[in-house]
Amino acid sequence: MKNKGFTLVELIAVIVIIALVLALTTGIFIGVRKNILEQVYENTINDILTKAESYAKETGMTGTIDINVDFLIKNGYLKADDDKYIYDPRNKDNKLNCYMIHIILKDQEYEATLLDKKENKDGTCNENSFNTSEVNIFCRVDNEENFHECNGWYNNNLTLKIVSNNNKITEEDIKMSEVEYSSLNGYYELLKKDSSKEITVKTDTVVDTIYTALVKINDKNYTVSQKISVDKENPIIISKKLDVVYNKGQELKLNTTDLSGSGIKGYQLTKTECTKDNYSKNLIKITSSGKFNLCVMDNVGNITKQEVNISKITFNYNNVSSTDIITKSIYYMKEDCEYPLLTPVRNGYLFDYWENLEGNRVYDLKTIKDDEVVNAKWNILDVDTKADRIDKGTTGVKIENRVNLILVLDISGSMSSNSRLTNLKEVSNNLIDSTSFDAGSTISVISFDDTATTLLTKGTDPATAKSIINGLSTKGSTSFNSGLTNANNLITNYLAGEDNIFVIFVSDGYDNSGYSPSIGKEVKEKAKTVYSIGIGSDVSTHDLIDIASPNCYFNASEGLESLKEIFTKIQEEIREEVTYRSKNGLIPLPNLYVDENNKFALFVNNEEHVFSSMDEIREILTINEGIYNLDLVKIDNKYKLNGNLKSIEFTYYYNK
């Protein structure tokens, strides 16, 4: 097959079409841009004329005057760019400052018209073209010797004086004139002939108003106005806030105002006294801690100073899978520290809390010292842990996840209602069958009505325990005290020194003999945990709560399912308590003993490590109040597992 391409004629035609499209679109763009600039120019001129009319109205002009755009800028009616010029948006080379404005009073309304530009050869405006320029108002600050053109804001008292702008009016004419001063804030003063044509503007706060002088020389009147701005008030710091931002630089956020004054010039943070220089309008970046002076200055130099105390906290932590210490410093203010502490992330770990160098837990920014250094404490995630604990003086004695369970069961007459006792037997048997109890665990059974009977003491055969429970029958009234007394005696006489004693106390009523809290307290002190369960709604909730360890009281509604749910929860909690878990990252090893004959055998992820002295294993131990703890975090770091610690098995010897 033959490929067909463009002929030369076709190619030329395409090029011509593209050129026509470009020319057309370019012309449209230029036209649109021109229209936009014309509209901006028109808006600029309208604003200038509006401000000129406002000036005439505020000064009370009665005749006809000519001023220029620059006059309005200097008197605060127009805002120029930073270089003090207003530009023609159509042509940035054309400055509008020297264009004249003609203002007349017509039908009680002021009307302004834009005239030609009156500009000197050096680019300055020709002020002699003003019909108001025969006289002028000059200013002198208290500490100055000479008068000068008034310009901008001042922070001193001002003396105003009428001066001549040309040779047509002499100083003698000014002296022999009558001058009527007035201002928009209500000031009025008439100065007679042969007197100084000066007034003083005094204030303790802020004056920002137009002063107008009517100057009568012979038979002619001249009106001149000047905006006078005096600011003696310090700026106000409304609020300051230092946000705790963990991922970027920190800045001191300020809310300040100068009210009706000259405006805020900027901010300064210094450990010395406030200066007149080096102020920034931007937010203050914080890079160090300590006591600072926060300085806020307005545009005439009034300064407000406020002491700021900035604290620092340094976080040391392992981030992601790295075993290297990462350090991050954060700045904050004590009065502004409602922020959570940093939460780091590390593979294979769950962050637990921050700890200071003294080993105390740090909860928030409010409670830590200035310039505190804190270290991250971690929990190991999902590590299977098994341990053999062997008495140094014996061999082959294994204590592994051992539980001593005591069931204290109500068999009073009311337990026959709604199959309560039948249901209790079933859930008790399920608990005994639980695989959470390893070899060496014991089961004790106590029944009570108005008296109590210990039916099984330290039983090790689940079948025997279940047979005893299945043989229970209801009778008599209810005595909590009797059941608890038997439990206390059993713990004292048969389980003294044993770990992991769990008591489960079940009843459906009230103690008919009057419950004694002292008995319940004694049992709680000796057992690891006491659970109490009330069946039905007619139970002594207050007494059952008192019998139980904190947060270990349950109420079961009538029926088997509610009891099953509670017993399952208790079973899980017991398993959690007796199984070595990694959630704290520490496994207690009290009275640890290691030597050549009693070696510490450690399997990390099925890899064996054997230690024959205490010195050898100290680097994987944490010692707190004389108790040795196997530290899973230290093991993870020592063997450089980077969070991949999966299983720990160990055998250790101890002194009784």
Side-chain angles (χ1 to χ4, degrees):
M1 295 180 65
K2 293 182 179 180
N3 293 322
K4 293 184 178 180
F6 287 107
T7 66
L8 180 60
V9 174
E10 289 172 332
L11 186 60
I12 292 172
V14 170
I15 293 172
V16 170
I17 292 170
I18 293 172
L20 289 172
V21 171
L22 287 173
L24 181 62
T25 55
T26 302
I28 293 172
F29 173 77
I30 293 172
V32 170
R33 183 176 183 276
K34 183 178 179 181
N35 290 337
I36 292 173
L37 292 177
E38 286 290 345
Q39 185 61 53
V40 175
Y41 172 74
E42 185 178 334
N43 293 340
T44 302
I45 298 302
N46 287 337
D47 183 54
I48 291 172
L49 297 178
T50 299
K51 296 297 171 54
E53 292 166 358
S54 296
Y55 163 77
K57 184 177 182 179
E58 289 180 6
T59 56
M61 185 204 83
T62 57
T64 301
I65 62 170
D66 293 321
I67 58 176
N68 61 16
V69 174
D70 198 61
F71 178 84
L72 294 175
I73 294 173
K74 290 179 178 179
N75 283 275
Y77 285 89
L78 290 173
K79 183 175 178 61
D81 291 340
D82 292 339
D83 59 358
K84 299 181 180 180
Y85 291 103
I86 295 176
Y87 295 89
D88 186 340
R90 306 166 305 175
N91 180 8
K92 290 297 184 179
D93 292 330
N94 184 27
K95 302 171 184 175
L96 302 179
N97 292 47
C98 296
Y99 277 86
M100 300 301 299
I101 305 168
H102 183 65
I103 309 172
I104 62 173
L105 181 62
K106 185 178 180 181
D107 299 329
Q108 304 302 313
E109 295 288 338
Y110 292 99
E111 185 177 294
T113 307
L114 190 69
L115 304 177
D116 295 334
K117 181 187 290 188
K118 296 290 182 71
E119 191 175 66
N120 301 319
K121 291 182 179 180
D122 61 356
T124 60
C125 300
N126 184 357
E127 304 292 352
N128 291 329
S129 58
F130 286 22
N131 69 3
T132 59
S133 63
E134 301 290 339
V135 293
N136 203 350
I137 298 176
F138 272 29
C139 292
R140 185 187 71 196
V141 179
D142 277 356
N143 56 6
E144 293 179 338
E145 183 176 347
N146 300 317
F147 285 88
H148 52 77
E149 286 191 32
C150 306
N151 185 23
W153 284 85
Y154 299 87
N155 64 350
N156 285 323
N157 294 334
L158 288 178
T159 299
L160 309 185
K161 181 180 181 180
I162 303 298
V163 298
S164 173
N165 268 349
N166 52 43
N167 295 324
K168 294 180 182 180
I169 297 176
T170 66
E171 291 297 322
E172 184 64 24
D173 292 334
I174 298 295
K175 182 179 178 181
M176 298 307 297
S177 67
E178 292 184 351
V179 178
E180 181 182 294
Y181 279 100
S182 61
S183 74
L184 296 178
N185 65 353
Y187 176 85
Y188 178 85
E189 187 170 350
L190 179 64
L191 303 179
K192 300 293 186 181
K193 295 180 180 180
D194 203 21
S195 64
S196 170
K197 301 303 182 290
E198 302 175 5
I199 63 169
T200 301
V201 179
K202 290 185 177 181
T203 180
D204 294 327
T205 56
V206 173
V207 169
D208 187 20
T209 187
I210 300 289
Y211 275 74
T212 300
L214 175 62
V215 183
K216 298 178 180 180
I217 301 176
N218 299 324
D219 295 329
K220 293 184 177 180
N221 295 340
Y222 302 89
T223 302
V224 62
S225 298
Q226 178 65 53
K227 189 171 186 181
I228 302 299
S229 302
V230 180
D231 180 5
K232 291 187 178 182
E233 285 188 334
N234 291 336
I236 298 171
I237 301 174
I238 300 173
S239 65
K240 56 186 182 297
K241 187 178 183 72
L242 178 56
D243 286 337
V244 175
V245 182
Y246 291 110
N247 299 320
K248 59 181 181 180
Q250 291 179 259
E251 296 174 325
L252 184 62
K253 297 179 179 179
L254 298 171
N255 185 7
T256 61
T257 182
D258 200 39
L259 298 178
S260 59
S262 58
I264 302 296
K265 180 177 182 178
Y267 319 107
Q268 183 185 101
L269 195 66
T270 176
K271 289 189 175 182
T272 59
E273 288 300 314
C274 301
T275 65
K276 290 288 186 179
D277 303 314
N278 301 320
Y279 281 79
S280 173
K281 286 189 175 182
N282 300 320
L283 298 177
I284 300 171
K285 295 191 180 297
I286 305 301
T287 58
S288 61
S289 60
K291 290 185 177 181
F292 296 87
N293 285 322
L294 172 61
C295 313
V296 182
M297 186 168 72
D298 63 19
N299 286 308
V300 293
N302 299 309
I303 295 174
T304 292
K305 180 178 74 173
Q306 195 173 98
E307 188 177 89
V308 176
N309 293 317
I310 296 177
S311 301
K312 174 183 174 184
I313 181 172
T314 300
F315 298 96
N316 292 329
Y317 59 97
N318 301 91
N319 197 23
V320 193
S321 61
S322 173
T323 57
D324 298 328
I325 296 295
I326 296 175
T327 300
K328 183 183 289 291
S329 294
I330 298 297
Y331 301 97
Y332 65 98
M333 296 190 297
K334 290 283 189 183
E335 68 269 24
D336 189 33
C337 56
E338 299 293 336
Y339 301 97
L341 297 177
L342 174 68
T343 303
V345 177
R346 184 181 178 189
N347 286 346
Y349 292 84
L350 179 67
F351 173 73
D352 195 1
Y353 60 89
W354 292 104
E355 184 181 83
N356 62 18
L357 298 182
E358 287 78 38
N360 299 318
R361 181 168 180 174
V362 175
Y363 293 92
D364 52 50
L365 292 175
K366 291 181 179 180
T367 57
I368 64 178
K369 303 175 185 175
D370 292 342
D371 295 335
E372 186 83 89
V373 178
V374 296
N375 297 309
K377 304 298 289 185
W378 303 93
N379 291 331
I380 297 285
L381 291 178
D382 300 326
V383 179
D384 293 330
T385 306
K386 293 184 178 180
D388 294 337
R389 189 177 78 161
I390 303 174
D391 182 0
K392 178 178 76 72
T394 63
T395 59
V397 178
K398 183 184 288 189
I399 304 174
E400 183 181 353
N401 296 346
R402 181 170 175 174
V403 174
N404 294 290
L405 180 66
I406 303 175
L407 297 174
V408 185
L409 308 178
D410 186 353
I411 60 168
S412 62
S414 59
M415 286 291 293
S416 62
S417 301
N418 299 318
S419 303
R420 293 171 184 172
L421 184 59
T422 301
N423 296 337
L424 181 58
K425 291 178 181 180
E426 182 172 340
V427 295
S428 298
N429 288 335
N430 291 341
L431 181 65
I432 293 170
D433 286 334
S434 169
T435 56
S436 62
F437 310 132
D438 294 330
S441 296
T442 70
I443 306 167
S444 300
V445 181
I446 298 170
S447 66
F448 70 93
D449 43 73
D450 47 311
T451 60
T453 305
T454 302
L455 302 171
L456 180 64
T457 302
K458 292 184 68 176
T460 57
D461 179 21
T464 301
K466 291 193 298 182
S467 176
I468 291 172
I469 291 172
N470 289 333
L472 295 175
S473 59
T474 58
K475 61 175 182 172
S477 59
T478 305
S479 173
F480 291 178
N481 293 334
S482 297
L484 291 171
T485 299
N486 275 34
N488 185 46
N489 292 336
L490 192 152
I491 296 172
T492 303
N493 298 321
Y494 297 95
L495 296 173
E498 296 283 353
D499 298 324
N500 297 330
I501 300 173
F502 296 90
V503 178
I504 301 178
F505 185 96
V506 186
S507 177
D508 71 339
Y510 291 75
D511 190 328
N512 300 125
S513 62
Y515 165 66
S516 175
S518 62
I519 300 176
K521 181 181 178 183
E522 203 168 341
V523 174
K524 284 188 289 187
E525 288 175 348
K526 296 175 181 179
K528 188 177 187 69
T529 306
V530 177
Y531 298 95
S532 71
I533 303 170
I535 301 177
S537 58
D538 189 22
V539 294
S540 179
T541 304
H542 179 271
D543 292 343
L544 291 172
I545 291 174
D546 185 78
I547 290 169
S549 301
N551 302 314
C552 290
Y553 166 71
F554 301 91
N555 181 258
S557 59
E558 303 287 358
L560 179 62
E561 292 305 314
S562 178
L563 265 181
K564 278 186 176 180
E565 184 178 336
I566 293 171
F567 267 70
T568 299
K569 181 176 177 61
I570 291 174
Q571 177 182 317
E572 291 172 351
E573 288 189 6
I574 292 175
R575 183 187 293 116
E576 182 81 13
E577 288 285 334
V578 303
T579 303
Y580 287 108
R581 294 288 181 177
S582 61
K583 70 177 184 177
N584 294 320
L586 299 174
I587 299 173
L589 308 173
N591 303 314
L592 183 64
Y593 185 87
V594 181
D595 64 13
E596 287 289 341
N597 298 317
N598 300 270
K599 296 180 180 180
F600 190 100
L602 177 67
F603 290 82
V604 180
N605 292 356
N606 296 318
E607 183 178 343
E608 184 179 16
H609 307 274
V610 179
F611 307 89
S612 59
S613 72
M614 285 298 301
D615 289 338
E616 290 181 358
I617 66 169
R618 287 187 189 277
E619 59 184 320
I620 60 174
L621 297 178
T622 295
I623 304 174
N624 185 22
E625 297 181 355
I627 297 178
Y628 292 100
N629 294 273
L630 188 64
D631 193 325
L632 302 186
V633 176
K634 288 186 176 183
I635 291 174
D636 185 60
N637 290 336
K638 175 178 173 60
Y639 298 107
K640 298 181 173 34
L641 301 172
N642 295 330
N644 294 314
L645 180 60
K646 297 177 180 178
S647 64
I648 293 287
E649 296 184 27
F650 59 95
T651 301
Y652 70 98
Y653 295 79
Y654 72 103
N655 289 316
K656 278 191 174 180

